[in-house]
Amino acid sequence: MNPESVDRPALPPLPPATPRVSAPSSSERPVDPLPVGGGFRDIGHSRWLSAGLAGVIAYGVTVFAAFAVLLLVALGLVLSAQDLQASLDEYVGVETPSDVGGAFLLLALPFQLAGMAMMGALHADLGLNVLGMPLQIGAVGWGVPLALTGIAVLTLWFLGRRSARSQTSITSTQAWMLSAVSGLTLALVGLLLSFLLAVRISENGMSAVLTSASLPLFFGALAIGTLGSRLGHHHGSATTHGLLQATARRRAGAEILAGVRIFCLHYMAYTLVSGLVLFIFATVKGGAAAAFSAPLWLPTAAGWAYGIGHLSSVSNATSQGTDSMTVFDLSWWAALLLILLAITIAFVASIAWAAARASYRQREGWMSWAILPAIFLVGGLLITLFTSVVFGVRGGALSFSGTLALALWTPLIMGLWGAAIEVSGRYLAPVAVPFLPAIIHRWFSGPTATADSAVAGTDTGRQVEEVPGAGGRETKPLTAHAKKRLRIGTAIAGIVILLIVAATVAFNILSATTYGPQAHVEKYLKALEEGDASAAVALHDPNVTSEERLLLDDGIFGAAQNRITDHEIRDVEFSGELATVTAEVTQDAKRVPLIFTLEKAERTALFFHNWTVTRGTSWTLPIQVPEGVDMVTVNGVDVELSQQLGQQAPGAFSLPVLPGDYVLTPPEGTKYVTLGEEQTITVSADPASSVGEGALFQRSMTDAVTEDAVAQAREFLQTCADSTEAAPEDCPNRAFTFGDDEDYRNFSWTITQEPEFEVSENWDGSLALYATEGEMTATYERNTQWQDDEPAEWEPEEDTASLYFSAAVQIDGDQLTLSFED
C-alpha cells in the first residue's frame, strides 16, 4: 500500500454521473485526428512568414505602448507642474532640446523603453569638457517595465493562438519551431532598432548617447518571444482539438500546468490588491505625476509588495552600504493586513489546488509533494529577477553602483509558501471544494476531467458522451466524517489567525516599548535620572573624541546633585527611517521639553530594529584655568586637562556633560598663590539655559606675598641705611655731592619716613613691589675750604633723599625673592 494513500484524506465521494449522448451540433467544429510526426520541411512558407511577422507586430505594439506610456508621463508632469518643458527638464535632470533633434529624442525614447521591456540593459555614455579636459562618464541601468513586457507577451500569445487555431495539423515540435522564429524576429528587430534609434545629444561641448541595445536585449527578447508565442500555440491547439488533445498530454505535464496556473493566480490576486493600495497611496502623495507614470513603476512595486507580504524583504544595496525593508518595518496594522492577505490568498490557492488535483491522476510518493513548492520556488526566482533594478555609474573619480531588488532568499521563502499551500490543499482545503460554484470548479480543474470520460465513451469518433465536470455534480450533504474535518479545519484556521493577530499585536507592543524609538529615549532618560553616564553615552553618543569625554564619567555624574528626577514621553512621529520623540523631563521642579530624532539601525532579536539618536539635546560645561594648570577636581574626581582637548583659548575648555550640579575644586595653592575656592555649576536640562562663563579659575596672591615682599624691602632699605657712602650701590638713597669726593666724610643714613609699599601684577602677568613716599636723611661733614693749600674746614651738613623704587617679585613654590632695580 502506498503511504500517500493512507496519509491523504479522500475527497467527499462523488455521486455517479448519468452519461448523456448527444449528436454533434452543426456549429461545432469537426475534431481532426491528432497530428503525428511533422518537422522543419513540413511547415509551409506562409507559416514561417506568419511566425516572423508575429515578432515584428509584437515589437510594434510594444513600441506604441511605450510611446503611450511616455505621453502619460508627460501629461502627468504637465498636470503637476503646468509646464511641460520645465517638467521634462526636472524629470530627466537635463535641459531637453526643443529643435528637430529634440523631436528625434522624443521619438527615439519609446524604442529604448521597448528594448528595456525585452530585458535590455540601458547604457549611457556622457562626454564633457571640464576646464579644457575631456571627461567620459558611463552609466548602465537594468530594470524591466513589466507593463510593456506583459503587452508584448499578450500580443505574442494572441498571435500564436490565432495561428494554432488556423493550423490544425501542427505538431508540438513544429509549434516550438514557429515560436522560436517569432522570438528570433522579435530579438533581431528589437536589437537593430534600439541601436539605430539610440538617443544622441551633442550640444554646448556635451555629447551623450543613450541606448538599450545590448546582449541581454537579444536573449531576453528571444526567450520572451518564444515562450509567449508557444503559450498561444498551446492554448489555440487545446481549443481546436478539444478534450481529445488534452487527454493526449502526459498527465504529469497537466499537473505541472495546473500548478503554474495556481501560482499565477496567487501572484495576480496579491499584486492586484497591493498594487491598488500602492497606486492610491502614490496618487495621494505624488499627485498626477505619480498616477500617470504608474505603468512604469507600479508592476515592479507590486512585485516588491508581493515579496514583502510573504515575509521576504526588499534590499537597497549600494557601494555605500546595504539597507532593507521587511513587512515588520511598516505600521503594525499595515503589517497585520499584509500578512492576513497573504494567508487568505494562500488558503484560496490551496482550495484551487485541491480542486485541480482531484481532476488528475496524481503522482504518488514524494514527487507529488514537490511539484507545487518547486513551482513557487521557480516563480519566486522569476519575480526576483524581473523586479530587480540594477544601476552603476563610472567615470573619472566617480564610481557608484547599486541594486534595488527582493532579497536573494525570496525563492526559498516562496518555496515554503508553496509547501504550505500543498499541505493545506491536502488536509484543510478539500472540505471546501464541494462548495465551489460549477464554473469556478471547472476553470480550476481544466479540461482533463471531462476528457477522461469523453475518451472512455468514444465510438470511433462518431459520438461523444457529455459528462458533467466535477463542479457540475449535485451537492451531497456532508457526512459526519466530513463535518468533523470541516470543524477541525475551521478551528485550525481560526487558531492560526488568532496567533497571527496576537503575534502582530505583541510585535507592535515590543516595537513600541522594548525595541522602539520611544523605549530607546526612555532608557536614555532613565540613565540620566540614575546618574549612569556610561549607559547614557551608549544610548546617545555625544560624537566627541575620547579625550573630551572626561566629565562623562560614572563617578562624576553619579555624584552630581540636582539631576532630572522624572520624565514622560509626549509624542512619537515616524517618517520613513526616522522617528521624532518628544519627551518632557523634570529638574528642580521645572518641566523641560526635549526633542530627539532617531534613525533605524541594524536589527536585533531577529525581527526588531535598533535605533540610534542622530539629533538630540547636548550639554557642555566651560572651564577656564590659568595657563600651566592641568588639573581640577570635579565632584570629587580628579580631571586632567590635557592640551589635546581643543582649547578655545589658552586654558579655556568646553567639555560635554549631562544635566546636574558639578562642584569644581582647583588644585591646592602655595604660600603665595591661590586659584580660589571651589565653584558649583548647575547644568540645566533646558537647552535654552546657559551656564555663562562656567567655572572660571584665576591666580590670585595671598597676603603672604605682600608681607614677605615688604619685609624683604625693609631689610633692603636698612642695608642701604647702614651704608656710609654718599650713594650706596643699588640703593635708592643718594646724597647730593659735587666736587671731589675727598671733601665729604662721615656719611650716616637715617630712614626718616618709611615708604608706602604695594605689590601688584603688571600687564604681562609679572609681580612687582613698588615703594613710594619714603625719605632717608644723610648726615655728613663737608670741607668748606676751597683752597687746596689751606687746612680743611669740616662742617656738618644734612641731606634728604626721596625713596621711590621698585623690585620684581619672583615666586618659586614657597620661595619669594625680590630683584631690585636701580
Side-chain angles (χ1 to χ4, degrees), residues 83-162:
D83 186 351
L84 177 60
Q85 186 71 25
S87 301
L88 290 176
D89 294 346
E90 180 180 359
Y91 191 77
V92 302
V94 297
E95 183 178 356
T96 55
S98 56
D99 54 7
V100 177
F104 176 78
L105 167 65
L106 297 178
L107 291 176
L109 282 177
F111 290 89
Q112 308 310 319
L113 192 58
M116 295 180 65
M118 306 299 170
M119 302 183 67
L122 189 65
H123 293 270
D125 293 310
L126 178 65
L128 299 173
N129 195 327
V130 181
L131 300 178
M133 299 181 62
L135 177 63
Q136 293 292 329
I137 299 177
V140 61
W142 189 88
V144 183
L146 294 176
L148 299 179
T149 305
I151 290 175
V153 172
L154 287 176
T155 303
L156 290 163
W157 176 87
F158 175 78
L159 295 175
R161 176 177 176 272
R162 182 178 179 184

Side-chain angles (χ1 to χ4, degrees), residues 529-533 551 553-561 563 635 662:
E529 294 176 14
E530 297 175 351
D532 192 345
L551 304 186
D553 178 79
D554 289 336
I556 294 176
F557 186 52
Q561 301 296 317
R563 298 191 299 267
N635 288 349
Y662 293 86

Side-chain angles (χ1 to χ4, degrees), residues 481-648:
H481 178 67
K483 291 180 179 179
K484 180 179 179 182
R485 290 173 56 201
L486 180 59
R487 288 195 299 268
I488 294 174
T490 304
I492 293 175
I495 292 173
V496 170
I497 292 176
L498 288 177
L499 288 177
I500 292 174
V501 173
T504 304
V505 173
F507 174 82
N508 178 58
I509 294 175
L510 290 175
S511 296
T513 57
T514 307
Y515 298 101
Q518 173 180 339
H520 189 96
V521 173
E522 284 192 303
K523 291 178 183 178
Y524 173 69
L525 298 179
K526 192 67 175 178
L528 296 185
E529 294 176 14
E530 297 175 351
D532 192 345
S534 299
V537 170
L539 293 166
H540 179 13
D541 194 286
N543 193 28
V544 295
T545 63
S546 301
E547 290 81 3
E548 295 177 274
R549 301 174 185 244
L550 296 175
L551 304 186
L552 300 176
D553 178 79
D554 289 336
I556 294 176
F557 186 52
Q561 301 296 317
N562 197 27
R563 298 191 299 267
I564 66 173
T565 56
D566 191 18
H567 71 271
E568 183 178 357
I569 302 298
R570 288 295 189 181
D571 187 32
V572 181
E573 295 181 358
F574 293 90
S575 177
E577 299 292 312
L578 299 178
T580 301
V581 179
T582 302
E584 192 174 70
V585 300
T586 302
Q587 184 184 29
D588 192 19
K590 178 183 178 181
R591 303 191 69 82
V592 177
L594 299 179
I595 299 176
F596 300 88
T597 301
L598 297 92
E599 184 179 18
K600 287 181 181 178
E602 71 281 356
R603 293 185 182 276
T604 182
L606 188 60
F607 298 106
F608 302 95
H609 275 290
N610 276 325
W611 292 83
T612 57
V613 179
T614 58
R615 182 181 302 172
T617 305
S618 58
W619 304 270
T620 57
L621 175 60
I623 301 175
Q624 186 169 348
V625 296
E627 191 172 0
V629 176
D630 58 1
M631 182 75 70
V632 294
T633 300
V634 183
N635 288 349
V637 179
D638 291 337
V639 176
E640 183 177 355
L641 302 174
S642 66
Q643 300 298 319
Q644 288 75 31
L645 293 180
Q647 305 175 60
Q648 300 172 343

Side-chain angles (χ1 to χ4, degrees), residues 762-781:
N762 295 324
W763 63 270
D764 60 354
S766 61
L767 293 178
L769 177 141
Y770 297 94
T772 59
E773 305 296 332
E775 289 184 352
M776 189 179 291
T777 303
T779 59
Y780 57 90
E781 293 179 347

Side-chain angles (χ1 to χ4, degrees), residues 289-319:
F292 281 80
S293 63
L296 290 179
W297 60 264
L298 186 56
T300 299
W304 291 342
Y306 178 81
I308 290 177
H310 288 84
L311 306 182
S312 182
S313 67
V314 174
S315 299
N316 180 19
T318 67
S319 53

